[in-house]
Amino acid sequence: MALLVAPEDLLTLESVWTPERSRILLEIARAGLPYSERPQSLNWNWRAKAQHLRLVPASGFAVVCDDEWQGAMLTKSGTHFSQLGEDHGKPLVYIDFLEVAPWNWTIPGIGQTRKYGLIGPHLFERAVRQSWDEGFGGRVGLHALPQSVPFYGGACWMTPLGPDVDFENLTYFELSRDNAERILERHL
């Protein structure tokens, strides 16, 4: 179950994840992994992201298991609008950041397998539920890091709308109302 988080929770999360990120970065350097094989969220800092939760349209969610932060997500509600078909121009929930804990990253080059799976899909489903609860019909949008493109286009049934030149050329994705209903039905 995804828990609602406050800014101070993200400070705690970052204090726990930072040493693990440092360990992973050291192992990656020792293994000489190319940049393309490094987790693209390796340099994220949730402490810096905590300020986002002070904004009215922002919400934060996390998954905690075994008293450890396993993943976190920040969303914005009603600040972005759909570009898809019949829902064009209607508000959606925008996923600003979604990340699983460093020990849940699979990094073959250093022999690391994830501790827990399905954290990302669970957080994504929470964003869909938020959209549904807020009357947005399950519509969700996000810009994906290149390593995450297959996940959002495949497991999350999102529609890629191409690179966004105004957002570091990251691929912009949206979840349609129909696919949102499919996601919510499969997890009822």
Side-chain angles (χ1 to χ4, degrees):
M1 179 171 159
L3 308 170
L4 197 59
V5 297
E8 51 276 5
D9 295 322
L10 296 181
L11 303 179
T12 302
L13 177 148
E14 187 60 34
S15 70
V16 173
W17 287 8
T18 295
E20 188 66 13
R21 281 194 178 109
S22 297
R23 181 196 64 78
I24 289 170
L25 188 57
L26 183 60
E27 285 190 38
I28 285 172
R30 285 184 184 149
L33 287 184
Y35 187 78
S36 62
E37 293 181 32
R38 297 175 183 198
Q40 292 174 330
S41 63
L42 189 60
N43 65 339
W44 283 10
N45 180 334
W46 286 89
R47 181 175 285 114
K49 296 174 187 344
Q51 66 184 343
H52 293 265
L53 286 179
R54 298 192 196 313
L55 304 173
V56 172
S59 298
F61 302 93
V63 173
V64 177
C65 185
D66 292 336
D67 295 323
E68 289 183 315
W69 298 91
Q70 302 300 331
M73 173 179 68
L74 294 181
T75 63
K76 290 182 181 167
S77 182
T79 60
H80 291 73
F81 301 89
S82 179
Q83 299 175 24
L84 289 178
E86 66 186 45
D87 286 331
H88 188 273
K90 293 181 180 176
L92 53 74
V93 166
Y94 180 80
I95 298 176
D96 218 356
F97 302 100
L98 188 157
E99 184 180 25
V100 299
W103 50 83
N104 290 324
W105 295 339
T106 298
I107 310 171
I110 62 171
Q112 178 171 311
T113 57
R114 64 181 177 225
K115 182 175 179 178
Y116 293 105
L118 301 177
I119 301 299
H122 185 73
L123 286 167
F124 181 78
E125 179 186 339
R126 181 61 188 93
V128 175
R129 287 191 185 286
Q130 177 187 1
S131 174
W132 196 266
D133 292 346
E134 293 182 10
F136 298 161
R139 291 183 299 275
V140 173
L142 60 84
H143 288 86
L145 293 172
Q147 289 173 339
S148 301
V149 165
F151 169 71
Y152 291 114
C156 296
W157 300 331
M158 295 188 88
T159 302
L161 298 175
D164 185 342
V165 295
D166 295 325
F167 205 93
E168 300 176 23
N169 275 334
L170 295 178
T171 301
Y172 179 70
F173 281 89
E174 278 191 22
L175 182 68
S176 68
R177 179 187 304 256
D178 290 342
N179 284 341
E181 289 176 7
R182 288 175 59 198
I183 286 172
L184 295 177
E185 285 173 4
R186 85 176 167 191
H187 288 104
L188 290 178

